[in-house]
Amino acid sequence: MKILTLYKHAPYKLHRPAQLSRSLSTTKLFINGEFIESQAADHIEVRNPATQQVVTRVPQSTMQELDEAARSASMAFREWRRTSVLSRQRKMLDLQHAIRAHMDQLATSIVNEQGKVFSDAKGDVMRGLQVVEDMANITHYMQGNKLEVSSDMDTYSIREPLGVVAGICPFNFPAMIPLWMFPVALATGNTCVLKPSERDPGAAMLLARLCNDVGIPPGVLNIVHGAHDTVNFLTSDSRIRAVSFVGGDRAGKYIYERATQHGKRCQANLGAKNHAIVLPDANKEHALNAISGAAFGAAGQRCMALSVAVFVGKAQDWVPELVTRAQQLRVDGGFEADADLGPMITPEALQRAKLLIQSASDEGARLLLDGRDIKVPKYPHGNFLGPTIIDQATTQMQCYQEEIFGPVLTCIHVDTLDQALDLVNANRYGNGASIFTRSGASARKFQSEVEAGQVGINVPIPVPLPMFSFTGNKGSFLGDTNFYGRSGVNFYTQLKTVTSLWRKQDADDRQATVHMPTIH
């Protein structure tokens, strides 16, 4: 049995066909507009995180299948690039309508494979849908510039697609992250080879079916599966011009370095440690409710989850009330009524989070709320971790230094806003940071001095809507151009600049003469 360990929530167990039940479905590949069975010898089991039941098995695509996906995308690009921008805009309008009509089906797949509660799974789809809707504005995004630089001479820019691009997706947003990638790529005239997470590929496969339904031509979108071998192919094949990745530090650095070494553009969203500064003048009820939802929602498995709360001065007296709010959150299966958060993705991810919680206690922090022993009677085998609050932590502790990626909030106390800002800015990550205050001056100071790429003022998870772009920085991002919005369009296109001379005196439509021609 092979063990693959590229991703931090590995190991993945790959099974030979003889080890698998013949009645168990296998996730198909989507190549050249067709759903096909892989000829792979190795498969990865996808288990429902709440029950441990095997939902499907995901193939490690063969080299021949990967090559066929890239070939299909390369061939399709020849025609797709010549499709008018209005035609591509129409496909985005049709796709957003199809996604909206199938939102419950997509969310159901996410609950079964990823474990989110149903309402949060629908939110996953909705945030991706908004990117598709924004791509209906592609006619504006693709406009170039023109200037008459001299008499009868014009210089103008044309925005053109790159060619075949690849997307490598994480487990935590099975619909949203694919929709950050392939709609922007397709709307700008590229073709795409997408690799959804091996943990939860179902939503991406449903999106592929919807692309077929709305008439996106064969080969324009292709979906392959796997782990190491697939990643290595996508980051090295000469037909692929650019790679988009969202996920953890280890995989992201590997993918970025390998892709750029092979001459490709690469944008890579990595880990995060998102902070919220709470000032004593904040609206207490709003701040505590916002922090609770941002820290524990989606079982903390968001790249923009709030993982550190920095209480300034007397605001530290509010921590016990935060504990009370966290205790009221219901941990349950994703389809259960009133569930607030579901299970973590794998037993390995759960065990890792538990070890980091224990390290906090060992290093002298206080566990005000310990969710490690939570019991969910209906789902005794689920990967459940209850909301956990670590208080009086320091920046040297392991629970602060590492991204826990679970429903765990680390609380730190400081005396002043300046100290809080210094603490936030010293962290190696730069995805997001927030402040809770009623002071416009404090908010202005925070906005000006904080180094995170996405800033919230009385907003706990400041993820921009698609008319802007996702702008994480520092150790949370590798590359030069961010995801979606204008930055996303820039990533998937290149500029061509034309200088042309058409002299007015060369025009041959001058007024006709009726005089007798003469020869001089």
Side-chain angles (χ1 to χ4, degrees):
M1 184 181 297
K2 296 181 181 179
I3 302 293
L4 300 187
T5 57
L6 177 61
Y7 303 102
K8 69 183 180 184
H9 297 306
Y12 295 132
K13 296 181 179 179
L14 275 73
H15 298 271
R16 299 288 179 176
Q19 297 173 276
L20 296 159
S21 168
R22 297 188 182 277
S23 63
L24 185 63
S25 66
T26 301
T27 299
K28 293 179 172 59
L29 306 171
F30 181 66
I31 298 176
N32 199 33
E34 296 183 357
F35 292 93
I36 62 174
E37 289 284 357
S38 173
Q39 299 304 304
D42 298 320
H43 293 76
I44 301 165
E45 290 183 344
V46 174
R47 291 180 178 271
N48 184 315
T51 65
Q52 304 307 320
Q53 292 179 342
V54 178
V55 178
T56 184
R57 53 187 181 131
V58 178
Q60 168 55 64
S61 303
T62 67
M63 286 298 110
Q64 292 78 11
E65 291 162 349
L66 295 171
D67 181 74
E68 179 60 23
R71 189 196 71 81
S72 174
S74 183
M75 295 292 291
F77 176 67
R78 299 177 185 179
E79 294 298 326
W80 184 247
R81 69 175 303 176
R82 290 195 286 266
T83 303
S84 73
V85 68
L86 292 177
S87 296
R88 299 197 302 269
Q89 179 190 49
R90 179 71 258 171
K91 294 303 180 187
M92 294 300 107
L93 290 168
D94 293 343
L95 181 59
Q96 66 85 24
H97 179 75
I99 293 171
R100 192 175 294 276
H102 293 83
M103 186 170 294
D104 284 0
Q105 187 177 359
L106 286 158
T108 297
S109 172
I110 293 170
V111 175
N112 281 326
E113 294 184 354
Q114 200 275 346
K116 290 184 181 182
V117 300
F118 189 71
S119 60
D120 193 37
K122 291 181 71 172
D124 184 331
V125 180
M126 177 59 72
R127 289 308 298 263
L129 172 62
Q130 290 169 341
V131 175
V132 183
E133 291 173 335
D134 187 55
M135 284 301 100
N137 192 32
I138 192 63
T139 50
H140 173 71
Y141 284 132
M142 292 293 284
Q143 290 177 9
N145 298 303
K146 183 176 181 179
L147 179 67
E148 185 174 2
V149 295
S150 183
S151 178
D152 297 337
M153 181 176 288
D154 301 310
T155 297
Y156 51 94
S157 61
I158 301 170
R159 192 169 289 280
E160 296 186 331
L162 300 177
V164 182
V165 300
I168 302 172
C169 304
F171 76 85
N172 57 328
F173 284 96
M176 185 184 78
I177 300 300
L179 291 172
W180 278 14
M181 297 177 182
F182 79 80
V184 186
L186 270 55
T188 50
N190 300 279
T191 57
C192 183
V193 180
L194 187 78
K195 189 196 89 67
S197 170
E198 330 62 282
R199 291 298 185 198
D200 43 22
M205 301 309 297
L206 288 170
L207 291 170
R209 180 169 62 79
L210 297 181
C211 287
N212 249 6
D213 292 346
V214 302
I216 291 176
V220 172
L221 174 66
N222 303 272
I223 296 183
V224 295
H225 302 294
H228 260 96
D229 291 346
T230 303
V231 166
N232 287 342
F233 177 88
L234 296 176
T235 51
S236 63
D237 187 83
S238 61
R239 291 164 291 192
I240 294 172
R241 298 286 307 281
V243 178
S244 299
F245 169 80
V246 176
D249 285 2
R250 183 182 177 191
K253 291 174 182 177
Y254 175 86
I255 287 166
Y256 181 81
E257 290 172 3
R258 185 176 171 88
T260 54
Q261 285 170 1
H262 284 85
K264 307 181 192 305
R265 287 188 184 182
C266 188
Q267 53 179 188
N269 274 3
L270 310 181
K273 203 72 177 180
N274 306 304
H275 296 64
I277 296 174
V278 185
L279 297 186
D281 66 355
N283 180 320
K284 182 172 69 171
E285 295 301 314
H286 170 70
L288 296 181
N289 287 333
I291 290 169
S292 181
F296 307 123
Q301 298 175 125
R302 295 169 174 153
C303 60
M304 284 292 288
L306 182 59
S307 53
V308 181
V310 184
F311 290 90
V312 179
K314 292 183 178 180
Q316 65 184 288
D317 296 338
W318 302 352
V319 174
E321 294 182 58
L322 178 62
V323 172
T324 300
R325 282 169 169 77
Q327 288 172 325
Q328 294 170 351
L329 296 174
R330 182 179 174 189
V331 181
D332 212 334
F335 292 116
E336 301 301 322
D338 301 323
D340 295 305
L341 61 150
M344 297 183 67
I345 186 70
T346 63
E348 293 82 10
L350 174 62
Q351 182 61 24
R352 178 180 178 274
K354 287 182 175 182
L355 290 174
L356 286 168
I357 294 168
Q358 183 59 45
S359 76
S361 178
D362 294 343
E363 293 180 68
R366 296 178 60 206
L367 289 183
L368 299 184
L369 183 61
D370 188 346
R372 288 178 291 178
D373 295 326
I374 191 167
K375 305 297 182 185
V376 182
K378 192 172 179 180
Y379 302 95
H381 304 296
N383 308 318
F384 292 102
L385 178 63
T388 298
I389 296 178
I390 301 169
D391 194 30
Q392 297 182 4
T394 69
T395 57
Q396 289 74 41
M397 292 180 179
Q398 190 179 7
C399 66
Y400 177 83
Q401 289 291 327
E402 295 195 29
E403 184 182 24
I404 299 175
F405 224 60
V408 182
L409 179 67
T410 301
C411 298
I412 298 177
H413 304 166
V414 298
D415 295 326
T416 67
L417 175 56
D418 283 331
Q419 291 175 343
L421 277 165
D422 289 344
L423 186 152
V424 174
N425 289 339
N427 191 273
R428 68 184 184 275
Y429 291 117
N431 242 10
S434 299
I435 190 171
F436 290 89
T437 180
R438 284 175 168 155
S439 166
S442 296
R444 176 71 68 182
K445 176 181 175 68
F446 174 78
Q447 172 188 316
S448 175
E449 297 183 16
V450 75
E451 295 174 0
Q454 293 160 127
V455 176
I457 298 174
N458 297 316
V459 175
I461 304 180
V463 177
L465 288 168
M467 64 285 298
F468 295 92
S469 297
F470 192 96
T471 52
N473 62 23
K474 295 172 63 177
S476 295
F477 181 73
L478 289 174
D480 298 315
T481 311
N482 298 100
F483 284 83
Y484 65 76
R486 185 166 296 282
S487 290
V489 170
N490 290 343
F491 178 78
Y492 287 119
T493 58
Q494 57 192 353
L495 286 175
K496 178 182 287 183
T497 305
V498 180
T499 300
S500 67
L501 174 65
W502 295 106
R503 299 189 303 172
K504 290 190 288 290
Q505 60 265 38
D506 292 341
D508 57 6
D509 60 348
R510 289 168 292 181
Q511 184 176 353
T513 179
V514 295
H515 300 295
M516 178 68 70
T518 59
I519 299 176
H520 299 284

